[in-house]
Amino acid sequence: MHSRRDVIRAGLSAALAAVLPKPARHIAHAGHSAEPDLKYFDAALGAARWLRATAIASPTGTSWPAVPPDATTVQHNLYTGFPGVVLFFIELSRATGDAAWLDLATSGADQLAAALPDEKAGDESTGLYTGLAGIAYTLEEADRARGESRYRAAILKARSTIVAGGRDVGAGVEWNDSTDIISGSAGTGLYLLRASRTFGSVDALKAAILAGRRLIEREFRNGDTSFWMASSSFPRNMPNFSHGTAGVAYFLATLGEETREKSFVDAAVRGARYLQSIATPTDGDGRRIFHNDPDGHELFYLSWCHGPAGTARLFHRLSGVTGDSSWSAYVPRLAQGIIGSGVPQRSPGFWNNISQCCGNCGVSDFFVSLNGLTGDASHLAFARRVADDTLERATADGDGYKWVQAENRVSPNVVLPQTGLMQGAAGVGLSMLRLDGAMRGRKPTIVLPDAPF
């Protein structure tokens, strides 16, 4: 079975064999005397110091290996690559007021811009988390942080390559066989909508609309419910956010909001109804949705990729698009599905992983967002509980901190300290800054294209 991780980890084979040390000490006992309300801020600084120490300088800028110190693992994608490090340093510079972090982010963005391909190279290369869409987004954030047009030419080049790479199929376009948020039309479409709003790009909006029309052609409809497969060649229905119906429907709902085309919103509603129809009740009237059909009905992930933390994004977005509060009323039921599972206690769907994608940080970010939406202090308390577990699992390295984790549930003995956004220290650092910001009244600077909160 091939997954997004098989694609994204293609450059990590050497690192997979590495023998890594056990955690040397816990971050909570590393000599810090900070008050409790600063410990998440301190953790972000610790992650930043480790990332700074792992940087690779070149005449064209700075990059970071996905798994230090192996320079062969440098990647340019948003999932495990160094765009995530750039985004984290932008957020850290804003939180600290220290321009040195922005300078380091700029050096990383310089390297991204210098390394842009002259043309699309491979089916995954336009994806939000696997290719040009994520790179263009990162360069946009770097431009915004600097308040100048340093990367405008590179952004235009990437965006034009994405638009030109859409191939005419049926009533619309697609870039590859994938429908999903990670590498497919849903994620690429979300970036194009952002580009349309940010730059007024008519071509980007047109491509997003055509992507939506093609996705409607690819839905499996049964009355008033619908689902989407990740691809025609992948024999499993994974209904949640990263690879399935929740992510596709989220894009269609967002597209409907932007264009006011009813067909897109109607398709998103059908997707949401399908998800409700297959949801499993939990204690406290919670809900969670299985990992995959046909052989994963008893497996429940809990974070961004295949869990309630990601899938809830669709229901929140639908409420705003339709004006129907019953959709947003489903969000706390999904949140209860996480709480009722015992997080941060380990489970088959919540293993030795602290990441934004599959583990602690995706869950804590979700509850920070709920706190911002509702003002309910219990959401912030739960986010802190999960974040405290993340701190306890830190490993000291020099004057910084890294997190050694099992990225893949089916390979629990393969543990790595990674640098990137969705599976590494950059994602941990961003999560810690968001929690610290929620506690101190500071709004986040970095809001990803697939984030509705």
Side-chain angles (χ1 to χ4, degrees), residues 287 302 308-317 319 327-340 361-384 386 434-435 438-439 444 451-453:
R287 294 290 187 274
L302 299 168
T311 295
R313 295 178 176 212
L314 167 62
F315 292 92
H316 175 74
R317 176 53 50 87
S319 184
W327 295 118
S328 59
Y330 206 71
V331 173
R333 299 175 80 178
L334 290 166
Q336 179 59 34
I338 296 174
I339 295 169
C361 290
V363 170
S364 61
D365 270 8
F366 174 50
F367 280 88
V368 166
S369 297
L370 291 183
N371 172 255
L373 289 171
T374 67
D376 186 339
S378 69
H379 295 316
L380 194 60
F382 189 79
R384 294 188 66 173
V386 177
R434 288 168 183 160
L435 178 52
M439 294 169 60
F453 303 118

Side-chain angles (χ1 to χ4, degrees), residues 183-200:
S183 62
S185 293
T188 302
L190 286 172
Y191 167 71
L192 291 170
L193 287 177
R194 174 191 165 90
S196 172
R197 291 190 297 269
T198 304
F199 299 105

Side-chain angles (χ1 to χ4, degrees), residues 166-203:
R167 59 193 188 214
D168 295 334
V169 185
V173 301
E174 60 190 23
W175 290 265
N176 50 47
D177 188 44
S178 174
T179 63
D180 71 16
I181 290 287
I182 294 283
S183 62
S185 293
T188 302
L190 286 172
Y191 167 71
L192 291 170
L193 287 177
R194 174 191 165 90
S196 172
R197 291 190 297 269
T198 304
F199 299 105
S201 173
V202 175
D203 287 344

